[in-house]
Amino acid sequence: MATRQVLVGFPRARLTLTPHSRNLIPPVQRQYRPTFAPQAYQSTRWASQRPTNIHQRAGREKSRNPLRLISRQGWIIIALSAIVIIVLKDSKKEERSLVKPTYASHKEMLEAAKEIAQILGQDAVTYDTHVLQHHGHSDWSTSNSPGRAVAVAYPRTVDHVSAIARICSARNVPMVPFGAGSSVEGNFSQPYSGLCIDFTYMDKVIAFHPDDMDVVVQSGVNWVDLNNQIAHTGLFVPLDPSPTATVGGMVSTNCSGTNAMRYGTMKDWVLNLTVVLPDGRIIKTRRRPRKTSAGYNLTSLFVGAEGTLGMVTEVTLKLAPIPKETSVAVVAFPTVHSAAAAASKLIRSGIQLAALELMDDEQMKLLNTHGSDAVRKRVWDEKPTLFLKFSGTTKEAIKSDVSRVGDIVKPLTDSKFHFAKTKQDELDLWSARKEALFTMVNTRPKGTEIWSTDVAVPISRLAEIIEISKRECGSLGLFASVIGHVGDGNFHVSMMYDPTNSQQKQAVAKCVKNMMTRALEMEGTVSGEHAIGIGKKECLVDELGEETIGLMRQLKASVDPKWVMNPGKVFDWMR
């Protein structure tokens, strides 16, 4: 016969042991395992003992609970009244969040800047016209606005940034964070004027934990300088954006660069953030372990937000081991399509490339005529060219990868495969890729502007979209080139045009719009690494839809109800 025992702490649960089970479990190891059958029995027994007469049950409950005396009509009236009150409260909240933002006048903005100068020091705020122009306009972007900030502030601590936010929020003064000014979609433009906050002097390494492979830095730290400082420990930040970029800007745009194929983007390397919210509050998004599932992922909310939700002041970054061995190789192809097709094959091959970059024939011509002395040590084939970076633990492993790459690309090109034989060769070959944007800017004809933008698509569609985009841009009769991080399906198009020529400007704009539309048709994105800024707001709506943008607006309104944090970026207040 089965034995039942009460499980301590669970009065309705029963433990069942049968004679057969007693023989299976040794005396020392014997244990009682709960079954669900006794629970079902208890539930059935409890239900069978309940009054079966509905009127009888109702009578008992009424006598015990005076609220039962209220009629059904009374309860309906109470419920409807509660609903009306809740709706009215919610509508008032919604009205407050949807009120069109109003900003301070020019005079009031100057008063706010003077108040900030009293706290930070007079030398920490400037009104110089040339400085304002530098902080409000980008020479390598067409996404600029005519407005300029009334002043530029230079905080040195988190408390300085908090004070700036409190004053600007109280006075309805727009705040525009500024890192290195290397973004290309108007991310730091000032369409509503306001105050520009430059983090140049917040460039300290706060804490370095080599055993934990992470580092805590202020947002004004330059990533190249940081890597140089910690190189002796065998660790580095594996991102590779513009060499001028600072950590705060890298976080705000979720940047990547040439190493994204192997190491991912900025979001993959941020452990936590210290953020000053629009009203001056200071928050830390999480603690320092490599993983956590505690609460909302606020870190990811601020990565890529372009300073529209708050100002990033401190960043904890994961670090990676510096590869023991590295090398670089380049190979030219007869067409852009064949180069992109080769890139797709290499990606699918499983070879662990550190980077895979594409430069078209126009870029290669620039290298031969305007490259640096190191780059012009050799004569480049003026054809679409792939730049490959290898990394590994041994030279033999890298040689094996190089050999496999050669076998894969051989059917697609007759050009010679150039492999760096020394560290200097490696540096010179890769410099050609890294100098591309700066070479274009420096050789731009006077009076012209560069329209540089990017998209990303699934790898299988890469060759097709690059070929079509290259052909369409080339048909304009203007300088147009394709360059990209093809290892992760991301590429850039740059075109030079005369901004005073409306026909040229419209043709370039149409070409860019077509490229965005094409990328979306291929299930891609309108921005692989440049973010949205003011240049791609309409395209973002095409990509995500009004409902998703509406949710972003709600998030923005809840964190920044006055809409003073970098307004006009990513999306507008209302369409």
Side-chain angles (χ1 to χ4, degrees):
M1 180 175 178
T3 302
R4 298 182 184 276
Q5 296 184 9
V6 176
L7 185 63
V8 176
F10 299 89
R12 292 192 183 278
R14 295 292 187 272
L15 303 172
T16 303
L17 284 177
T18 66
H20 182 65
S21 66
R22 291 176 187 275
N23 296 331
L24 294 176
I25 304 176
V28 177
Q29 299 179 356
R30 183 177 298 163
Q31 53 184 314
Y32 298 103
R33 299 183 182 277
T35 70
F36 291 102
Q39 297 177 29
Y41 165 77
Q42 290 290 338
S43 299
T44 304
R45 184 164 173 262
W46 172 77
S48 66
Q49 292 174 351
R50 298 179 65 198
T52 55
N53 188 302
I54 295 176
H55 297 290
Q56 181 184 0
R57 282 205 310 271
R60 291 180 186 176
E61 292 172 358
K62 278 184 180 181
S63 64
R64 290 195 301 265
N65 188 356
L67 291 177
R68 291 283 184 178
L69 298 175
I70 301 175
S71 66
R72 177 181 295 179
Q73 290 81 2
W75 278 114
I76 292 174
I77 292 172
I78 292 172
L80 289 175
S81 300
I83 291 171
V84 169
I85 292 171
I86 292 171
V87 169
L88 287 174
K89 285 184 176 180
D90 288 345
S91 65
K92 287 180 180 179
K93 289 180 181 178
E94 186 175 357
E95 285 174 7
R96 285 197 296 270
S97 66
L98 294 179
V99 171
K100 185 175 181 180
T102 56
Y103 299 119
S105 65
H106 185 270
K107 180 180 178 181
E108 292 168 332
M109 291 181 186
L110 286 173
E111 290 174 354
K114 292 176 182 177
E115 184 178 352
I116 290 168
Q118 292 176 356
I119 298 174
L120 274 63
Q122 296 300 324
D123 59 343
V125 178
T126 181
Y127 311 91
D128 183 88
T129 303
H130 296 292
V131 176
L132 298 181
Q133 176 67 10
H134 168 71
H135 284 76
H137 180 85
S138 172
D139 287 335
W140 49 46
S141 171
T142 52
S143 298
N144 289 299
S145 63
R148 295 290 179 269
V150 298
V152 177
Y154 296 91
R156 293 176 182 268
T157 67
V158 177
D159 289 338
H160 281 175
V161 180
S162 178
I164 290 171
R166 287 197 307 271
I167 293 169
C168 288
S169 179
R171 293 174 173 267
N172 292 347
V173 176
M175 294 173 276
V176 182
F178 185 93
S182 55
S183 56
V184 298
E185 295 296 346
N187 313 76
F188 59 86
S189 61
Q190 298 127 22
Y192 301 100
S193 187
L195 182 76
C196 180
I197 299 94
D198 188 326
F199 289 86
T200 296
Y201 296 111
M202 293 186 67
D203 59 350
K204 305 296 186 295
V205 175
I206 299 170
F208 179 37
H209 310 108
D211 292 339
D212 296 328
M213 297 175 63
D214 68 51
V215 63
V216 185
V217 300
Q218 290 183 313
S219 57
V221 168
N222 172 265
W223 70 274
V224 176
D225 292 341
L226 175 62
N227 278 345
N228 290 336
Q229 288 183 47
I230 64 176
H232 67 282
T233 66
L235 300 172
F236 79 132
V237 177
L239 283 302
D240 187 31
S242 164
T244 64
T246 57
V247 172
M250 293 163 66
V251 168
S252 295
T253 57
N254 188 27
C255 80
S256 52
T258 61
N259 289 347
M261 180 182 184
R262 178 160 184 173
Y263 293 103
T265 64
M266 193 65 181
K267 65 177 174 53
D268 303 308
W269 295 91
V270 179
L271 283 175
N272 65 45
L273 300 170
T274 298
V275 182
V276 174
L277 298 180
D279 60 5
R281 285 177 294 160
I282 302 169
I283 67 165
K284 193 160 192 171
T285 56
R286 53 161 286 194
R287 290 180 179 265
R288 204 165 51 87
R290 285 290 175 118
K291 62 185 293 187
T292 179
S293 59
Y296 289 179
N297 190 351
L298 294 180
T299 304
S300 291
L301 178 65
F302 288 98
V303 175
E306 302 185 41
T308 60
L309 300 177
M311 289 179 278
V312 174
T313 56
E314 295 175 4
V315 184
T316 302
L317 295 170
K318 292 190 290 185
L319 301 173
I322 297 174
K324 296 291 184 183
E325 299 291 340
T326 60
S327 192
V328 170
V330 296
V331 57
F333 292 82
T335 65
V336 165
H337 184 273
S338 59
S344 296
K345 284 191 173 185
L346 290 172
I347 294 165
R348 290 177 55 84
S349 70
I351 299 173
Q352 293 297 308
L353 293 171
L356 179 57
E357 301 289 302
L358 169 68
M359 293 174 63
D360 71 358
D361 54 320
E362 295 295 336
Q363 287 290 333
M364 303 311 291
K365 290 176 184 177
L366 281 178
L367 293 182
N368 281 331
T369 55
H370 300 288
S372 65
D373 292 340
V375 170
R376 286 189 287 110
K377 284 180 181 178
R378 54 172 295 161
V379 177
W380 299 86
D381 288 339
E382 295 181 351
K383 300 177 182 178
T385 302
L386 287 182
F387 288 71
L388 305 95
K389 186 187 290 186
F390 301 87
S391 64
T393 56
T394 65
K395 292 181 179 180
E396 289 71 24
I398 289 180
K399 287 180 180 179
S400 175
D401 286 344
V402 171
S403 177
R404 289 179 61 195
V405 167
D407 293 339
I408 292 171
V409 304
K410 190 174 182 179
L412 296 170
T413 181
D414 295 327
S415 298
K416 185 179 178 181
F417 194 82
H418 296 281
F419 175 68
K421 295 181 176 61
T422 66
K423 285 298 176 184
Q424 189 59 49
D425 284 346
E426 179 182 336
L427 182 62
D428 292 343
L429 287 174
W430 199 249
S431 294
R433 169 60 188 91
K434 293 299 292 181
E435 292 177 10
L437 177 60
F438 299 99
T439 303
M440 275 195 299
V441 172
N442 292 334
T443 59
R444 182 187 59 180
K446 188 175 181 179
T448 64
E449 290 186 358
I450 293 180
W451 194 318
S452 179
T453 192
D454 78 318
V455 297
V457 296
I459 301 299
S460 61
R461 308 301 299 273
L462 183 63
E464 179 184 358
I465 190 171
I466 288 180
E467 181 182 31
I468 297 173
S469 299
K470 169 71 174 172
R471 183 170 61 245
E472 184 175 4
C473 294
S475 67
L476 299 180
L478 305 171
F479 173 87
S481 76
V482 172
I483 188 170
H485 316 305
V486 291
D488 55 3
N490 178 212
F491 74 98
H492 308 253
V493 167
S494 298
M495 291 170 280
M496 295 183 188
Y497 69 98
D498 180 359
T500 63
N501 186 322
S502 60
Q503 187 175 359
Q504 282 188 18
K505 189 172 183 177
Q506 290 175 6
V508 171
K510 181 180 178 181
C511 185
V512 171
K513 177 65 175 177
N514 290 344
M515 188 174 77
M516 302 292 158
T517 302
R518 201 173 296 122
L520 294 181
E521 290 172 350
M522 295 180 177
E523 298 183 84
T525 177
V526 299
S527 184
E529 62 179 11
H530 289 173
I532 299 300
I534 63 174
K536 292 185 175 180
K537 290 187 289 188
E538 292 184 5
C539 298
L540 184 65
V541 177
D542 295 336
E543 177 172 339
L544 300 180
E546 285 289 355
E547 291 297 323
T548 303
I549 301 298
L551 176 59
M552 291 183 182
R553 285 195 183 97
Q554 286 180 305
L555 289 170
K556 165 79 169 171
S558 65
V559 178
D560 181 21
K562 291 189 173 184
W563 222 267
V564 291
M565 256 337 306
N566 208 11
K569 316 301 163 53
V570 188
F571 46 80
D572 291 318
W573 171 74
M574 290 287 282
R575 284 176 65 85

